């Protein structure tokens, strides 16, 4: 009973700021369960959005009526006419994408309004409840509009309002659509970010990479190379979101804290995003775009390593090495700053390291979360035990910060909701492309839509499938048909992971990295500069995946 009182008081008083967040995640988990049970369907047989199979049946019937096959433009025109909301949803989605490029502008306006507000209240003697300071609503609003992680969630408001007013029984359709989305990945990312950023896990990762960095005498260059090469490859085993969290925290402490040039900052961020995106392809269970197709296309661990894994390793080594030599002169200045910073730290008392047994327990929580990543009830329950354990070992812990993980989860949930309404135009575009154009198209499309959405939509198109439906049975393709399907499968996945570093929305772990590292960038991360920083490693990966015979 005493321990229960301690847990209740400790958690709900000292940690009340995120108790509500945990409850929210539990409710989201229940929402997923309701969706799987078919809740909120407006009527029997109702379909929203229209499925790819229904579109193909409509196109086949229309082609028979007009006597010839439909071109890409005709397909898009037919699909838009089938449900005019398709066009509205896509326009709203691209407005949200444009909004991400304006995030820095909103942040500048927020700082301006905050300064004006402080000047305006400087002569006031008003007292507010509990001694709180006056807050500028306008400044806070613009700061929220400038949060990249919040943008896609903000644009859900016009999306859902349009859906309610444009569709018959709009409220029921909106509820049905939301209930049919799978929000497991956003919830998983929230929890793995929170656990992976805990002090024992970071301490363990840092000690492991310190061993590697010691080969280069633990200079900034040695740390930079170790983190950008090893951490992304670990993503194939601990999942990409966990690898991104650990890599971003370490690169922040060992590199960004030394204040490199803006050009070097963006080059490093772009390289990190690209390396994480391709680094998860050594296995078949860690990278979101791979998970979308593993079952449908019968891929396994040997297939992934022989077709993608070793190419990813070569690409990561090559791109990272080239960037190292490009910025080699800057490392000399960083080395001096690093020495000065270490000298300052040496005079400060150091906290007691987390005990080995605490580290082992935390790694156990990481392992449990990764092993149960498809089952929210398990990993959310595990997270509640994790929170209790951090309270019981509070003197060895950082304070658990859930703001960034929750914002990232909000970002991904918004992207899942928006992305589910883009299949009407992405699927025919992908189907119309041959292998090389498909690779290029998938790389470009990934910059504007989550790469897992791209590969999922491809898995729904029959031309990509290794099987075909004949006489009421699924039969494996053979000969030329199978070779064509396998070539298209490789091209779309290779393109999706290659383009995964071009923008924040391109790959699910990217928002986690940006959330952790944005504080090192004045006015936040610029999408255009991130794109430029990621361009060279993206081209390197493109060459590795497409020029080496597969």
């Amino acid at each position: 009973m005493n321990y229960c009182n301690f847990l209740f008081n400790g958690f709900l008083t000292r940690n009340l700021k995120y108790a509500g967040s945990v409850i929210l995640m539990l409710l989201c988990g229940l929402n997923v369960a309701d969706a799987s049970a078919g809740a909120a369907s407006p009527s029997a047989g109702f379909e929203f959005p229209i499925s790819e199979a229904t579109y193909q049946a409509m196109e086949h019937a229309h082609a028979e009526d007009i006597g010839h096959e439909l071109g890409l433009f005709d397909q898009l025109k037919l699909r838009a006419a089938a449900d005019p909301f398709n066009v509205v949803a896509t326009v709203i989605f691209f407005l949200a994408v444009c909004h991400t490029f304006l995030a820095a502008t909103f942040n500048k306006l927020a700082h301006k309004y905050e300064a004006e507000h402080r000047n305006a209240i400087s002569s006031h003697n008003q007292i507010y409840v509990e001694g709180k300071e006056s807050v500028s609503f306008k400044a806070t609003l613009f700061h929220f509009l400038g949060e990249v992680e919040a943008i896609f969630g903000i644009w859900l408001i016009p999306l859902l309002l349009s859906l309610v007013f444009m569709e018959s029984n709009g409220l029921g359709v909106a509820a049905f659509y939301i209930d049919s989305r799978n929000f497991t990945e956003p919830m998983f990312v929230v929890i793995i970010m929170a656990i992976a950023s805990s002090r024992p896990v970071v301490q363990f990762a840092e000690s492991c990479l310190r061993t590697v960095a010691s080969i280069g005498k633990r200079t900034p260059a040695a740390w930079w190379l170790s983190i950008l090469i090893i951490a992304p490859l670990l993503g194939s085993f601990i999942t990409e979101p966990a690898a991104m969290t650990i890599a971003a925290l370490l690169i922040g402490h060992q590199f960004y804290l030394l204040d490199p040039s803006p050009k070097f900052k963006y080059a490093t961020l772009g390289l990190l995003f690209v390396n994480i995106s391709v680094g998860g392809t050594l296995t078949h269970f860690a990278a979101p775009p791979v998970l979308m197709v593993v079952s449908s296309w019968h891929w396994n661990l040997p297939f992934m390593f022989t077709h993608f894994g070793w190419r990813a390793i070569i690409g990561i080594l090559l791109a990272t090495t080239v960037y190292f030599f490009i910025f080699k002169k800057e490392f000399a200045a960083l080395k001096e700053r690093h020495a000065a910073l270490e000298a300052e730290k040496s005079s400060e008392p150091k906290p007691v390291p987390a005990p080995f047994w605490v580290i082992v327990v935390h790694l156990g929580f990481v392992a449990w979360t990764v092993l149960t990543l498809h089952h929210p009830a398990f990993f959310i329950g595990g997270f509640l035990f994790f929170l209790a354990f951090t309270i019981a070992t509070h003197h060895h812990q950082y304070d658990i910060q859930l703001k960034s993980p929750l914002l990232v989860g909000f970002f991904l949930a918004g992207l899942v909701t928006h992305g589910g309404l883009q299949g009407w135009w992405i699927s025919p575009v992908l189907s119309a492309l041959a292998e090389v154009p498909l690779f290029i198209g998938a790389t470009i499309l990934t910059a504007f839509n989550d790469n897992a959405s791209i590969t999922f939509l491809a898995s729904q198109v029959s031309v990509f499938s290794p099987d075909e439906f004949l006489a009421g049975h699924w039969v494996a393709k053979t000969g030329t048909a199978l070779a064509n399907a396998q070539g298209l499968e490789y091209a779309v996945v290779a393109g999706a992971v290659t383009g995964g570093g071009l923008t924040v929305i391109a790959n699910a772990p990217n928002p986690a990295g940006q959330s952790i590292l944005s504080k090192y960038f004045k006015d936040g991360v610029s999408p255009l500069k991130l794109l430029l920083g990621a361009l060279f490693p993206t081209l390197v990966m493109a060459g590795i995946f497409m020029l080496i015979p597969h």
Side-chain angles (χ1 to χ4, degrees), residues 247-380:
L249 287 168
L250 293 180
I251 204 76
H253 294 158
Q254 301 295 339
F255 173 74
Y256 282 103
L257 198 61
L258 303 176
D259 194 26
S261 67
K263 184 177 179 181
F264 200 3
K265 287 181 180 180
Y266 278 104
T268 299
L269 186 63
L271 180 63
L272 173 65
F273 282 8
V274 175
N275 286 1
I276 289 287
S277 181
V278 300
T281 59
L282 278 66
T283 63
H284 62 298
F285 58 81
V290 174
L291 281 168
M292 295 295 107
V293 302
V294 163
S295 177
S296 300
W297 295 348
H298 317 312
W299 289 4
N300 54 25
L301 181 60
F303 177 90
M304 284 305 302
F305 188 81
T306 55
H307 287 76
F308 292 92
W310 67 270
R311 291 179 172 87
I313 294 172
I314 293 174
I316 289 172
L317 290 171
L318 181 58
T320 307
T321 302
V322 171
Y323 263 12
F324 169 77
F325 283 107
I326 290 175
F327 295 99
K328 190 174 182 180
K329 290 183 179 179
E330 288 204 39
F331 279 118
L334 295 181
K335 187 176 181 180
E336 294 178 2
R337 295 175 203 166
H338 179 260
L341 190 62
E342 287 297 309
E344 289 180 15
K345 288 182 178 179
S346 63
S347 61
E348 299 174 357
K350 295 182 179 179
V352 175
F356 178 74
W357 72 273
V358 174
I359 294 174
V360 170
V361 172
H362 274 246
L363 294 178
F365 279 115
V366 172
W368 171 259
T369 305
V370 171
L371 290 172
T372 61
L373 64 89
H374 299 299
H375 307 284
F378 284 115
F379 65 69
I380 290 175

Side-chain angles (χ1 to χ4, degrees), residues 97-105 107-108 146 148 262 265-267 269-270 273 501-504 514 517-534:
V97 172
C98 293
H99 186 167
T100 62
F101 286 86
L102 298 173
T105 302
N107 277 324
K108 288 179 181 177
V148 174
K265 287 181 180 180
Y266 278 104
L269 186 63
F273 282 8
L502 291 171
T503 60
V504 177
Q514 172 171 285
L517 296 173
S518 60
K519 62 185 177 183
Y520 299 106
F521 294 81
K522 185 179 180 182
D523 297 322
V525 175
S526 165
L528 180 59
K529 292 179 180 178
L530 169 62
L531 176 67
L532 294 174

Side-chain angles (χ1 to χ4, degrees), residues 156-171:
L156 286 180
I157 297 173
L159 178 75
L160 295 176
L161 287 176
S162 300
L163 182 58
V164 167
F165 288 109
M166 289 186 66
E167 297 287 340
S168 176
N169 185 22
L171 190 59

Side-chain angles (χ1 to χ4, degrees), residues 471-516:
H473 300 282
W474 285 102
V475 180
K477 292 178 180 177
T478 58
T480 304
L482 179 61
N484 289 339
Q486 290 174 337
L488 295 175
E489 291 169 3
Y490 176 85
V492 72
V493 174
V497 298
T498 297
L502 291 171
T503 60
V504 177
I505 68 174
N507 192 30
N510 291 359
Q514 172 171 285
S515 178
I516 293 168

Side-chain angles (χ1 to χ4, degrees), residues 6 16 53 55 92 113 115-116 155 167 173 287 294 306 341 361 383 407 411 423-424 426 531:
F6 166 74
L16 188 59
Y55 278 131
I92 291 173
Y113 294 139
E116 292 176 353
W155 282 91
E167 297 287 340
V173 172
V294 163
T306 55
L341 190 62
V361 172
F383 184 60
L407 277 173
F411 177 96
W424 72 276
I426 291 179
L531 176 67

Side-chain angles (χ1 to χ4, degrees), residues 161-218:
L161 287 176
S162 300
L163 182 58
V164 167
F165 288 109
M166 289 186 66
E167 297 287 340
S168 176
N169 185 22
L171 190 59
V173 172
F176 171 80
Y177 175 66
I178 294 298
D179 286 344
S180 68
R181 298 304 90 197
N182 187 345
F183 295 107
T184 299
E185 185 179 48
M187 288 187 286
F188 168 77
V189 170
V190 170
I191 288 174
I192 199 65
M193 274 189 71
I195 298 175
S197 61
S198 63
R199 181 173 179 252
V201 174
V202 174
Q203 180 183 310
F204 174 77
E206 191 168 15
S207 64
C208 291
L209 287 173
R210 183 181 290 109
T211 303
V212 179
S214 63
I215 299 173
K217 299 181 180 179
R218 300 178 189 173

